[in-house]
């Protein structure tokens, strides 16, 4: 029973960054812009959150102050949004290949934070540990970060926004038939910019969760492929919030199970570590042909 409870809470913790990132990617791809840069947005958000909290702690003499982690969370969200804006400008204004633009951001996310770490901490891999972390919330026999609760509450909100509001209808129209949407008076360019920046904000929050919620410092490449797994969850979930929820819970369970199996003799250690990625590839192989993406996704739009 204790093992099952531990696995459940571990699944919730592992699924949270995937869910936040996938919901962000949902907005971007529903608008017609492929966002393979989610991985980089997570890393930039994680670095911004951890470094902001550390710098504030230094300024406050190392004291525990309730508002410091929330400022760090805001910094992570803003950084993610800024990276999202860069991707949007490249993909929308300059009509760059959206895959190439996203890949460039992912590569930059592996190098740029290391430069900042070298300047601030004289190393290229980790920030200093912080004492002001995002608060935990008790759930029966365990506890989780408050961002875990936020992520799962966000699912019905995203569903309502997409399918029950005029803004959501316009967003889906832009991703399916942008020319028709334009004739109806919808500003396609503005909708796409908004959606991509919003995807960056949510990915940045996922990064902040990793560095000041789940852990207490930034570690180079700490996302460990979460952005790519979130993209797989989008495909598996058929670009629908409820489908994305189910997919991220599945991938989160695979990651939690891999953690539980580590150190045991059930499977080879390398196979255990690869389990979430094997599951991702199997899901993509089985569903990529069956899931229909938004009709205009990946296609630049000329007004």
């Amino acid at each position: 029973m204790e093992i099952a409870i531990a696995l459940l809470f571990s699944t919730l913790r592992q699924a949270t960054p995937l869910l936040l990132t996938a919901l962000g990617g949902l907005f971007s791809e529903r608008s017609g812009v492929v966002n393979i840069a989610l991985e980089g947005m997570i890393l930039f958000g994680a670095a911004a959150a951890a470094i902001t909290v550390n710098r504030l702690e230094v300024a406050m003499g190392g004291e525990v102050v309730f508002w410091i982690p929330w400022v760090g969370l805001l910094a992570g969200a803003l950084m993610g949004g800024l990276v999202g804006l860069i991707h949007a400008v490249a993909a929308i204004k300059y009509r760059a290949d959206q895959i190439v633009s996203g890949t460039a951001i992912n590569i930059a996310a592996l190098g740029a934070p290391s430069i900042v770490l070298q300047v601030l901490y004289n190393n290229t891999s980790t920030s200093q540990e912080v004492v002001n972390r995002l608060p935990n919330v008790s759930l029966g026999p365990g506890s989780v970060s408050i961002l875990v609760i936020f992520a799962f509450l966000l699912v019905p909100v995203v569903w309502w926004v997409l399918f029950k509001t005029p803004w959501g209808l316009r967003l889906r129209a832009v991703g399916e038939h942008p020319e028709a949407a334009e004739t109806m008076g919808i500003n396609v360019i503005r909708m796409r910019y908004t959606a991509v920046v919003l995807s960056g904000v949510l990915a940045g929050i996922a990064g902040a969760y990793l560095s000041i919620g789940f852990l207490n410092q930034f570690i180079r490449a700490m996302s460990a492929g979460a952005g790519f797994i979130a993209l797989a969850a989008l495909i598996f979930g058929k670009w629908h919030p409820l489908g994305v929820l189910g997919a991220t819970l599945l991938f989160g369970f695979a990651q939690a199970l891999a953690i539980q199996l580590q150190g045991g003799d059930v499977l080879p250690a390398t196979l255990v570590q690869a389990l979430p990625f094997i599951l991702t590839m199997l899901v993509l192989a089985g569903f990529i042909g069956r899931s229909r993406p938004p009709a205009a996704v990946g296609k630049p739009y000329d007004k």
Side-chain angles (χ1 to χ4, degrees), residues 3 10 42 121-122 135 137 154 169 200 205 215 239 242 261 270 289:
I3 295 177
S10 182
I42 294 173
Y121 308 113
N122 200 31
V137 177
L154 192 61
L169 177 61
I205 291 174
L215 299 178
W239 290 269
L242 298 182
L261 292 176
T270 52

Side-chain angles (χ1 to χ4, degrees), residues 87-99:
H87 180 51
V89 169
I92 300 171
K93 181 176 181 179
Y94 295 105
R95 298 170 55 83
D97 186 288
Q98 295 170 11
I99 303 297

Side-chain angles (χ1 to χ4, degrees), residues 153-164:
L153 290 178
L154 192 61
V155 174
V157 174
V158 171
W159 175 86
W160 179 77
V161 168
L162 279 179
F163 298 105
K164 298 296 181 180

Side-chain angles (χ1 to χ4, degrees), residues 96-174:
D97 186 288
Q98 295 170 11
I99 303 297
V100 173
S101 172
T103 301
I105 289 173
N106 291 336
I107 294 173
L110 293 175
S114 295
I115 298 173
V116 179
L117 293 175
Q118 180 64 45
V119 172
L120 294 178
Y121 308 113
N122 200 31
N123 76 82
T124 60
S125 57
T126 63
S127 67
Q128 291 181 356
E129 295 184 357
V130 300
V131 295
N132 286 276
R133 297 173 57 197
L134 291 167
N136 285 343
V137 177
S138 296
L139 289 178
S143 64
V144 294
S145 169
I146 194 168
L147 284 187
V148 175
I149 307 298
F150 170 75
F152 284 91
L153 290 178
L154 192 61
V155 174
V157 174
V158 171
W159 175 86
W160 179 77
V161 168
L162 279 179
F163 298 105
K164 298 296 181 180
T165 67
W167 187 87
L169 177 61
R170 291 194 293 268
L171 181 73
R172 289 184 286 123
V174 164

Side-chain angles (χ1 to χ4, degrees), residues 232 235-239 250 281-292:
I235 297 172
F236 188 26
K238 298 183 178 180
W239 290 269
L250 175 62
M281 289 188 292
L282 290 175
V283 166
L284 287 177
F287 284 87
I288 196 166
R290 303 178 188 177
S291 298
R292 190 188 72 83

